[in-house]
Amino acid sequence: MRNLMPEPPATLLPADEAAEAALAAAADPMPVAAAHPTFSGAWAALAQGALAADQPVTAYAYARTGYHRGLDQLRRSGWKGHGPVPWSHEPNQGFLRCLHALSVAAAEIGEADEAARCAQFLRDCDPAAFDALNS
């Protein structure tokens, strides 16, 4: 069955070239997050590092910070709480990676409902993001 209701347009976050360059050059994302606290990409890198180090509570905190900073940016970019947030648009990837890390960390600390909500939100944003981050 095809959905006949129009979907809102895709939300494309603006690039932050200075933060992206700093993260690409950094051995440690911590100073990048400190210098660019609105840049979800740095928070995602911190969360993913904490998950890899088996520190799910720390990962949860980093991912939640990046997730909320990303929501702020999405809203400023016209997002109304639903609609596509394409993985193919690189500036969106920090937010989407935070959302995925939040789901994983929530599962690891026993927050099954939140883990499921975050996983569904990631699928709703872009199924390609869900597939790319869960492969």
Side-chain angles (χ1 to χ4, degrees), residues 15-72:
D16 184 338
E17 294 174 11
E20 291 167 9
L23 185 60
D28 177 4
M30 184 84 61
V32 180
H36 304 275
T38 63
F39 180 56
S40 291
W43 295 108
L46 287 167
Q48 290 168 323
L51 285 169
D54 198 27
Q55 298 174 347
V57 172
T58 302
Y60 183 90
Y62 288 143
R64 179 149 302 278
T65 299
Y67 165 79
H68 281 289
R69 298 313 293 257
L71 285 177
D72 292 342

Side-chain angles (χ1 to χ4, degrees), residues 9-112:
T11 302
L12 305 177
L13 293 175
D16 184 338
E17 294 174 11
E20 291 167 9
L23 185 60
D28 177 4
M30 184 84 61
V32 180
H36 304 275
T38 63
F39 180 56
S40 291
W43 295 108
L46 287 167
Q48 290 168 323
L51 285 169
D54 198 27
Q55 298 174 347
V57 172
T58 302
Y60 183 90
Y62 288 143
R64 179 149 302 278
T65 299
Y67 165 79
H68 281 289
R69 298 313 293 257
L71 285 177
D72 292 342
Q73 290 180 344
L74 284 168
R75 289 182 186 112
R76 280 193 302 275
S77 295
W79 187 73
K80 303 289 187 220
H82 66 286
V85 181
W87 173 254
S88 60
H89 182 65
E90 195 167 326
N92 289 353
Q93 290 182 9
F95 167 75
L96 296 168
R97 289 176 34 232
C98 282
L99 183 54
H100 176 261
L102 186 56
S103 177
V104 172
E108 289 188 16
I109 64 172
E111 288 285 333

